[in-house]
Amino acid sequence: MSFFDDDENDPLSPPNRPNYGVRPSSSREGSVSGSSSFLDRLRSTVSPPPAHQYSENENDRSRASASIFDEGSTSGRIGASSNLDDDDDDDHGMGSVFGNEEEEEDEEDMNDVKKLGRALMRERGIPDLGGWKGELIDGVFDKLEQQQKMVNTLRSDPQTSEEEHFKLMLVQTEMERVKYLVRSYVRTRLHKIERFAHHITLTPEMHHLLSGAELSHARRYTDLLHTHFQHSALDSLPEWLRKMDDTYGDGLSMVSKPNRNTPVLIYCRKDCGEITLEGGERAALARGTTHLVKYRLVDRWINLGWAEVL
Amino acid sequence: MYGDLALQLVTSSHRSTLSTTPQLPLPKYALPLILSICLETRQLGQSITSAAEQHGQVSLSQDRSLVCNLTVQHLSARRNKRCLLAYLQTRVGGIKERWWDSGGSLAYLLSPSSSSSSTTGGDTSGMGSNSESEGTGDLRNNLSPQEIDFLRGYNNLMLDYKSDFLDVLDLTSSIDRPPSELMVDVRVLRDAGEVILESGERLDFRKGERFRLNRSGVERLIVQGYLEEV
């Protein structure tokens, strides 16, 4: 939990920007402030400070370096790669980063890592299966790959100084952390998919929530499980007992479905209006409040992103 | 009474946490019990069909004791089926959990003793193995042939699924906690033989030695109990 909280408040990767943007030879000033934010980062790995602590004097810088994986940093990386050939390009590279970055902050747009963290939180919080964030994952993968290439180039570059090697290590750690997020996200989904595999294969309405690979996994897993059950036990039972989709006398079906009555703890990011509870009571979901309600009642707010699962 | 055996099967599986705790050895597949439950269910099935045939439609609507009899038998048979599947499902869950815990390495999971492993191919003697490896070591003995088939099938399924991601990340490595460090200090617990790391380095892991290595490169060996984080 605390890891994701870190994500929210504390931009994961301030060290990355100075790493590429600042070459000691070209801009003295940048290098100094770069390394001081670097030290902050180092301390923060022990105990992460709240974000506003360095937004005081290094506002721009920490924003600029909010993440390696957002749109702005793509241009930053291009600037950085040209650094390898020509140090004078530095300021252009940095400039373009600042520009893009600030626009994005104004739009309250989130970078990919934040989005990923949020997607993971949601996926873990809700009993149902959320939509597959294919674009996001693809984007993150592309960026991870680019980043890996950058790291490899810089590592094999003899000009890279000792200090920069150290920074590269931080970049790599950062990448591992992002990979961890992706892994958790994918595996959380897989767990749910396997749990409800049969239900998913039987319900075409759910298919759009899954990626192609996930859907075929669900189908094949259902087959595999049923074959296993058939061979282990069902084959030795009378024929009328061999089905896998019976409904019992008490209305319980053999096909397990997500229980949409599971309570979820939500935090309202926006004003979500009122909901009617079971007993006919009404409850207002005001902005900034936290509620423990049945998932069924608030699923559309969660899907819209107006409410967040905690 | 009908369903006694099934009850025995489910309660024992429900009470024990062995099958769902990957660190502990999976209990042996209760084959004799399952066979007798299947037999009981078949007998119930036969008795239901023969009773229904003997009496025919007319008496079914009139003879209340017959209806009652058939209902009880029918419910018992269904209950038996349900218990059997619940038992199997619990074990399937445990098996899958063990698969994930071992980092998706089937050969390691099914290896008869803790000595050989797919990653290294070393055939050194596995002494000083910890409880986990002992547990997974005799996993093969505790699984039914069908369960081994299932595990293989699941393994193939996951290999297919994760191959989409493999150029960027290994889906099966641990998600216990977020990585905080790139490098990790490890101590070798068991001889693992010579291992070629991602960077192209060759390392000979001998028991008792200590290394400082790239975490992602040796994650698997840590999971499989060859190395221990210091």
Side-chain angles (χ1 to χ4, degrees):
Chain A
M1 220 42 186
S2 67
F3 170 61
F4 304 114
D5 293 343
D6 286 0
D7 268 2
E8 296 297 318
N9 304 328
D10 174 24
L12 275 172
S13 52
N16 301 318
R17 185 60 48 222
N19 181 22
Y20 297 126
V22 182
R23 305 283 288 196
S25 57
S26 60
S27 84
R28 204 61 247 155
E29 196 187 310
S31 149
V32 168
S33 71
S35 55
S36 80
S37 86
F38 215 54
L39 285 177
D40 280 350
R41 252 327 269 183
L42 272 183
R43 286 188 204 106
S44 74
T45 49
V46 186
S47 59
H52 55 78
Q53 198 167 316
Y54 44 84
S55 63
E56 293 297 321
N57 53 352
E58 283 172 357
N59 199 356
D60 287 356
R61 180 160 297 278
S62 70
R63 278 189 172 196
S65 50
S67 170
I68 21 168
F69 297 115
D70 51 22
E71 295 312 314
S73 67
T74 317
S75 63
R77 272 199 300 276
I78 294 163
S81 54
S82 63
N83 280 345
L84 290 175
D85 310 313
D86 185 4
D87 283 356
D88 294 5
D89 275 350
D90 259 352
D91 294 339
H92 298 289
M94 292 297 278
S96 68
V97 174
F98 283 133
N100 285 350
E101 200 60 49
E102 255 153 27
E103 267 170 41
E104 277 196 7
E105 289 288 321
D106 287 344
E107 287 164 19
E108 287 194 350
D109 205 346
M110 292 183 292
N111 64 47
D112 280 0
V113 177
K114 258 190 187 170
K115 277 189 208 155
L116 191 62
R118 204 157 278 178
L120 171 65
M121 289 277 289
R122 216 188 88 180
E123 203 61 62
R124 286 174 85 121
I126 62 176
D128 216 347
L129 194 68
W132 167 247
K133 301 254 186 283
E135 277 174 36
L136 178 62
I137 298 285
D138 286 348
V140 169
F141 273 12
D142 284 349
K143 283 162 187 169
L144 274 175
E145 243 167 285
Q146 284 176 24
Q147 195 84 16
Q148 185 65 51
K149 273 184 207 150
M150 287 298 303
V151 168
N152 287 343
T153 329
L154 282 174
R155 267 172 64 146
S156 51
D157 185 2
Q159 279 180 19
T160 315
S161 68
E162 188 86 344
E163 192 193 354
E164 280 168 326
H165 268 300
F166 181 69
K167 288 172 180 171
L168 279 177
M169 218 175 81
L170 289 181
V171 177
Q172 280 173 295
T173 314
E174 176 61 21
M175 286 169 60
E176 287 299 319
R177 287 170 77 90
V178 173
K179 283 183 191 173
Y180 168 85
L181 281 182
V182 179
R183 209 153 53 212
S184 308
Y185 176 67
V186 173
R187 280 179 59 170
T188 309
R189 285 182 63 86
L190 265 189
H191 178 78
K192 279 198 232 176
I193 288 169
E194 283 174 8
R195 204 161 146 214
F196 307 120
H198 198 182
H199 174 62
I200 290 170
T201 46
L202 292 179
T203 330
E205 301 91 75
M206 281 189 82
H207 290 180
H208 72 275
L209 293 173
L210 286 85
S211 72
E214 282 178 331
L215 190 57
S216 85
H217 180 79
R219 289 207 173 106
R220 292 172 57 194
Y221 180 77
T222 315
D223 287 347
L224 182 70
L225 195 66
H226 290 186
T227 327
H228 171 54
F229 285 165
Q230 296 286 358
H231 288 173
S232 298
L234 296 182
D235 278 353
S236 0
L237 299 184
E239 258 172 55
W240 52 276
L241 277 176
R242 289 188 194 166
K243 275 189 280 173
M244 278 303 294
D245 47 6
D246 281 347
T247 307
Y248 287 95
D250 51 2
L252 202 62
S253 168
M254 283 183 71
V255 185
S256 57
K257 291 193 192 96
N259 179 6
R260 291 168 57 79
N261 280 325
T262 316
V264 286
L265 194 60
I266 56 158
Y267 169 79
C268 302
R269 305 180 62 80
K270 291 187 183 167
D271 214 334
C272 299
E274 277 192 339
I275 51 164
T276 314
L277 301 178
E278 216 102 298
E281 247 180 288
R282 298 178 75 78
L285 301 178
R287 184 182 167 164
T289 50
T290 314
H291 307 267
L292 183 65
V293 275
K294 287 188 176 172
Y295 173 69
R296 183 167 52 85
L297 296 172
V298 289
D299 56 346
R300 53 204 153 127
W301 308 126
I302 295 174
N303 285 332
L304 280 172
W306 289 17
E308 207 176 313
V309 191
L310 298 176
Chain B
M1 233 201 70
Y2 303 136
D4 262 2
L5 294 171
L7 185 66
Q8 199 184 325
L9 184 73
V10 216
T11 38
S12 69
S13 133
H14 180 68
R15 281 189 192 137
S16 140
T17 50
L18 285 181
S19 50
T20 43
T21 319
Q23 288 78 25
L24 300 170
L26 192 77
K28 201 159 175 55
Y29 186 69
L31 188 64
L33 202 51
I34 285 180
L35 286 182
S36 26
I37 295 172
C38 289
L39 182 68
E40 187 192 285
T41 320
R42 272 204 304 278
Q43 284 167 349
L44 280 171
Q46 273 163 13
S47 130
I48 291 172
T49 0
S50 59
E53 273 168 10
Q54 270 176 24
H55 296 274
Q57 284 296 325
V58 190
S59 55
L60 260 184
S61 49
Q62 289 164 356
D63 189 348
R64 300 198 67 156
S65 69
L66 178 68
V67 174
C68 184
N69 184 15
L70 284 183
T71 314
V72 168
Q73 291 188 345
H74 194 89
L75 286 178
S76 309
R78 286 195 148 220
R79 197 188 130 79
N80 277 353
K81 173 191 176 187
R82 193 167 163 184
C83 292
L84 282 173
L85 291 187
Y87 175 75
L88 290 175
Q89 176 72 50
T90 316
R91 288 178 64 92
V92 161
I95 294 168
K96 282 198 310 194
E97 219 166 301
R98 282 174 175 78
W99 185 88
W100 283 104
D101 249 43
S102 75
S105 156
L106 186 70
Y108 167 74
L109 213 54
L110 289 181
S111 59
S113 68
S114 45
S115 57
S116 66
S117 151
S118 65
T119 356
T120 59
D123 51 354
T124 45
S125 62
M127 43 201 282
S129 50
N130 53 20
S131 65
E132 190 199 50
S133 58
E134 271 167 12
T136 48
D138 32 51
L139 184 66
R140 186 194 275 274
N141 293 330
N142 292 335
L143 292 178
S144 72
Q146 293 86 0
E147 281 172 326
I148 293 189
D149 284 348
F150 171 81
L151 186 55
R152 291 229 160 86
Y154 188 69
N155 188 54
N156 292 340
L157 215 57
M158 282 315 303
L159 282 185
D160 277 0
Y161 185 76
K162 79 173 184 177
S163 61
D164 288 353
F165 299 89
L166 214 55
D167 49 343
V168 187
L169 81 162
D170 184 6
L171 211 57
T172 44
S173 44
S174 153
I175 51 166
D176 280 352
R177 57 206 147 108
S180 52
E181 271 186 301
L182 201 59
M183 309 294 280
V184 61
D185 280 313
V186 289
R187 189 168 54 215
V188 184
L189 289 178
R190 280 189 279 147
D191 287 347
E194 200 172 65
V195 175
I196 302 173
L197 297 177
E198 259 174 48
S199 50
E201 242 179 312
R202 277 166 170 274
L203 273 178
D204 197 9
F205 287 112
R206 291 192 185 284
K207 196 182 166 194
E209 285 179 325
R210 291 177 79 154
F211 295 98
R212 184 168 176 79
L213 296 164
N214 219 324
R215 175 177 264 286
S216 56
V218 293
E219 179 98 49
R220 222 150 231 264
L221 290 172
I222 299 176
V223 168
Q224 297 182 356
Y226 283 100
L227 308 176
E228 180 196 42
E229 269 187 83
V230 188

